[in-house]
Amino acid sequence: MTQKKLYNITTFGCQMNKADSERMAGILENMGFQFTEDPNNANLIVYNTCTIRDNAEQKVYSYLGRQAKRKQVQPDLTLVVAGCVAQQEGEQLLRRVPELDLVMGPQHANRLDSLLDQVFAGNQVVATEPIHIYEDITKPRRESKVSAWVNIIYGCNERCSYCVVPSVRGVEQSRTPESIKAEIEDIARQGYKEVTLLGQNIDAYGRDLPGTTQTGRHLHTLTDLLYYIHDVEGIDRIRFATSHPRYFTERLIKACHELPKVCEHFHIPFQSGDNDILKAMKRGYTHERYRDIIAKIRHYMPHAAISADAIVGFPGETEQQFQNTLNLVEDIGFDQLNTAAYSPRPNTPAALWDNQISEEEKNDRLQRLNHLVAIKAGERSQRYLNKVEQVLVEDINPKDTTQVMGRTDGNRLTFFKGDLQELKGKIIPVKITEVRAFSLTGEALSLVSA
Ligand code: SAH
Ligand code: SF4
Ligand code: F3S
C-alpha cells in the first residue's frame, strides 16, 4: 500500500476535456492528493474520456482493462471514468468494468470531491443526470504556466446529425461575464499571458443568459464579452474556440480587428464544402456563406490565420460532393485543418442511415484531403518567411533542447534558439528563417519582450 495519496489523470479528446481535467486536478489537490506521472504508482486514477469517434471510445477500454486488472490485486485503488464516454455509457460501463468506483459525466466535473466522498463511504457511484453546472470554487491545476483555458459556455444546443456532443455535454450553460472576468483576473495575477475562451459553439455564448438590448439582441454575446474582458492587466493575448459559421457575425470580426489583444486566428469548422451534405449534416449554412465569412475576415485582417475541421465520407457523400470539399480547401487555403473520416455514433441520426460509405472509400478520401491540406498549409507558411513574428514562449523544443518553442499570433508553432528560464512567458520578436507546413523556425531579434 502506498502511504501518500497519489493521483493521475489521463485526458482524451478536446480542449473542453483538458480544461475539465485541470479543474478536477485542482479539486484532487485540494483534497490532499498529489500528482504522479505514472498511473501505475497512483492510488486514484481518472480517465477523462472522449467519444467523438469510435476509435476515441475504444482507446478508453484498452486503458481501463489494464487498471481493472491491477485493482484485483490492489483493492484500495480508486478508478474513475469521467467525461463523454462516461456520460454516454453510464451504468453500462459499470457492467462492462465492474472494478470501477465512479462514472461521472462532464457536467459533474466540478463536483468530483462530493462524488469521491460517496465512493470513500463505500459506494459505487454513477453521476450522469443533467445538472446546473456550479461555479468552480477550487483553483484548476493548469498544465501550462503561460496560457490558460477558460470555459465560457458548456454544452451545445445544435443538432448536427453526426455529432455525439449534445447528448453527452447537455444543453448550453453560459457562465456570467463577471465570473469569467474574475477568473481571468486571477489567471493574470498568477502570471499567465494568454487566455483561450472555450465553448463547443462559442458563438452561442450568452443566449441562455437573461436580458436583451433595445434592438432585441441578447445582452451578453461573445463580442460583448471580448470588450468586457479585454483590458485585464497582464493578459497579452486572447483567443477563442470553436466558432460556428451559422452564428458568426461581422460584429465579432470587427471586434477582433479593433481589439489589439485578440489574436488574428479563427478556428471555424466547415465540415463539408457541399451544400447538400451540409444540409444533411444540419449545419445551417451553405459553403457560400462560409466563403463569405472568410472573405470578411480577410477584408479586415488580411493576415489572419484560418483553421477548421472537416469530415469526409459522411453518409451518402458522392465523389463529386467530396470534390466540393477539396475545392473549398483549395480556394481558402487553410493554415491548419483537422480532418476525420465519418464515424457513426450512438444516439445520432446519421448513424442509422443506410447510405454509409465504405471504410476504404472514407480512408482514401481522408488521405487525398490530407495531402491537399499539407500542400496548402505549406503555401500559407511561405508568407512568414523573412518576416518578424511575435512569439509567446511556452516551453523547450523537446526535439532540440537548445531551442525554445512558442506560438505566433496566428497560432503557428515556432522554434528558435534561446534559454527557457529567461524567455518563458515572454513575447519575443522572431525573424522567421525556415518554414514548414505546420511550424516555423527563426532567430530572436531581441531577447526582451516586445
Ligand atoms: N463544436 C465544434 C466541433 C466539435 S467536435 C463544431 O461545431 O464544429 C470536433 C470535430 O470532430 C468536429 O468539428 C468534426 O469535424 C469532428 N466530428 C464530430 N463528430 C464526428 C463523427 N461522428 N465522425 C467524424 N468526425 C466527427
Ligand atoms: Fe457537435 Fe454540431 Fe454542437 Fe459542434 S455544433 S458540438 S458539431 S452538435
Ligand atoms: Fe470528445 Fe467530449 Fe470533446 S466527445 S471532442 S471530449 S466534447
Side-chain angles (χ1 to χ4, degrees):
M1 238 179 80
T2 350
Q3 290 302 314
K4 272 191 198 150
K5 299 205 293 182
L6 296 174
Y7 78 95
N8 177 275
I9 300 191
T10 305
T11 309
F12 305 87
C14 64
Q15 293 167 324
M16 245 67 55
N17 253 18
K18 290 184 183 137
D20 290 350
S21 284
E22 293 183 346
R23 290 201 312 281
M24 290 194 284
I27 293 172
L28 289 171
E29 303 212 337
N30 233 22
M31 295 176 78
F33 283 90
Q34 283 179 22
F35 178 74
T36 169
E37 289 279 343
D38 181 5
N40 293 319
N41 234 338
N43 34 24
L44 186 145
I45 298 178
V46 181
Y47 289 108
N48 195 12
T49 61
C50 171
T51 181
I52 199 76
R53 287 177 285 275
D54 187 57
N55 55 7
E57 184 181 350
Q58 297 315 322
K59 219 192 269 174
V60 175
Y61 292 114
S62 74
Y63 278 71
L64 269 183
R66 259 173 274 154
Q67 294 303 336
K69 274 214 186 92
R70 215 184 114 205
K71 174 138 185 173
Q72 290 162 6
V73 289
Q74 188 192 329
D76 71 327
L77 177 66
T78 305
L79 282 181
V80 180
V81 179
C84 297
V85 176
Q87 185 66 37
Q88 177 185 289
E89 298 300 311
E91 301 260 344
Q92 286 183 46
L93 205 52
L94 285 191
R95 257 169 260 145
R96 188 160 169 177
V97 190
E99 291 85 356
L100 294 180
D101 297 285
L102 171 58
V103 174
M104 54 186 283
Q107 293 189 346
H108 294 263
N110 294 356
R111 301 180 55 220
L112 177 61
D113 44 0
S114 62
L115 295 171
L116 279 176
D117 286 343
Q118 295 174 43
V119 168
F120 296 142
N123 303 302
Q124 208 174 22
V125 180
V126 177
T128 51
E129 70 283 5
I131 57 161
H132 175 74
I133 297 177
Y134 297 99
E135 264 308 308
D136 186 23
I137 37 155
T138 37
K139 284 208 169 43
R141 177 191 186 273
R142 299 183 196 268
E143 226 9 70
S144 158
K145 296 278 167 268
V146 176
S147 176
W149 288 311
V150 177
N151 280 91
I152 67 164
I153 177 170
Y154 301 99
C156 178
N157 287 8
E158 298 302 301
R159 283 287 174 272
C160 303
S161 56
Y162 52 84
C163 182
V164 79
V165 170
S167 78
V168 291
R169 290 255 160 193
V171 294
E172 290 165 1
Q173 299 187 39
S174 299
R175 293 175 64 199
T176 64
E178 294 76 21
S179 62
I180 294 166
K181 191 173 189 177
E183 183 175 351
I184 295 174
E185 284 167 346
D186 190 46
I187 285 167
R189 274 193 294 273
Q190 293 173 51
Y192 287 86
K193 293 289 177 269
E194 178 180 275
V195 293
T196 304
L197 310 178
L198 291 182
Q200 276 296 0
N201 171 4
I202 203 154
D203 300 279
Y205 175 75
R207 62 186 183 188
D208 58 318
L209 294 175
T212 49
T213 63
Q214 281 174 343
T215 54
R217 189 165 52 70
H218 287 287
L219 199 55
H220 304 290
T221 65
L222 175 60
T223 309
D224 298 298
L225 185 70
L226 289 176
Y227 282 103
Y228 179 65
I229 62 158
H230 186 266
D231 292 333
V232 173
E233 215 177 301
I235 298 296
D236 294 330
R237 284 182 173 180
I238 301 168
R239 302 182 185 277
F240 57 86
T242 301
S243 303
H244 196 307
R246 185 179 199 165
Y247 305 102
F248 202 88
T249 64
E250 187 160 358
R251 205 175 148 247
L252 176 64
I253 298 175
K254 284 185 184 155
C256 296
H257 176 49
E258 205 177 295
L259 294 170
K261 291 182 185 175
V262 177
C263 292
E264 297 197 348
H265 168 224
F266 297 85
H267 183 69
I268 320 176
F270 61 88
Q271 312 300 2
S272 166
D274 182 83
N275 285 349
D276 290 327
I277 293 291
L278 285 169
K279 205 167 192 174
M281 287 176 161
K282 293 222 169 349
R283 289 289 290 178
Y285 55 86
T286 58
H287 78 89
E288 289 90 350
R289 154 128 177 115
Y290 188 86
R291 288 168 190 264
D292 228 46
I293 291 170
I294 306 303
K296 282 215 178 80
I297 291 173
R298 288 181 171 161
H299 168 76
Y300 288 98
M301 295 162 272
H303 302 294
I306 313 283
S307 62
D309 303 345
I311 297 174
V312 302
F314 185 76
E317 185 187 68
T318 63
E319 173 61 26
Q320 184 51 50
Q321 289 172 324
F322 169 65
Q323 283 293 334
N324 287 337
T325 291
L326 292 178
N327 291 343
L328 187 71
V329 172
E330 180 67 49
D331 295 346
I332 300 223
F334 292 91
D335 292 276
Q336 184 128 27
L337 185 68
N338 307 320
T339 58
Y342 168 74
S343 168
R345 304 312 292 132
N347 310 315
T348 60
L352 303 174
W353 300 345
D354 56 15
N355 51 355
Q356 305 290 327
I357 307 294
S358 74
E359 291 303 317
E360 296 74 46
E361 190 59 49
K362 284 194 269 192
N363 284 333
D364 180 62
R365 288 180 191 173
L366 187 60
Q367 277 175 29
R368 283 152 69 201
L369 178 57
N370 287 342
H371 182 70
L372 179 63
V373 167
I375 292 172
K376 300 307 284 188
E379 286 172 19
R380 292 287 291 167
S381 276
Q382 288 298 328
R383 75 192 195 280
Y384 295 114
L385 195 58
N386 298 322
K387 297 271 161 34
V388 176
E389 285 292 311
Q390 305 299 326
V391 177
L392 172 58
V393 178
E394 289 179 36
D395 220 330
I396 209 141
N397 177 0
K399 290 194 188 136
D400 178 350
T401 51
T402 66
Q403 292 184 337
V404 293
M405 65 180 187
R407 285 177 188 276
T408 65
D409 189 279
N411 212 34
R412 270 274 192 289
L413 199 56
T414 304
F415 307 102
F416 65 94
K417 276 223 179 327
D419 173 25
L420 185 68
Q421 300 282 5
E422 189 186 328
L423 299 175
K424 190 167 183 171
K426 290 190 179 149
I427 295 180
I428 303 293
V430 175
K431 185 166 183 197
I432 304 304
T433 52
E434 219 180 282
V435 303
R436 291 165 299 275
F438 302 107
S439 62
L440 312 170
T441 301
E443 287 159 9
L445 288 189
S446 141
L447 292 178
V448 180
S449 262

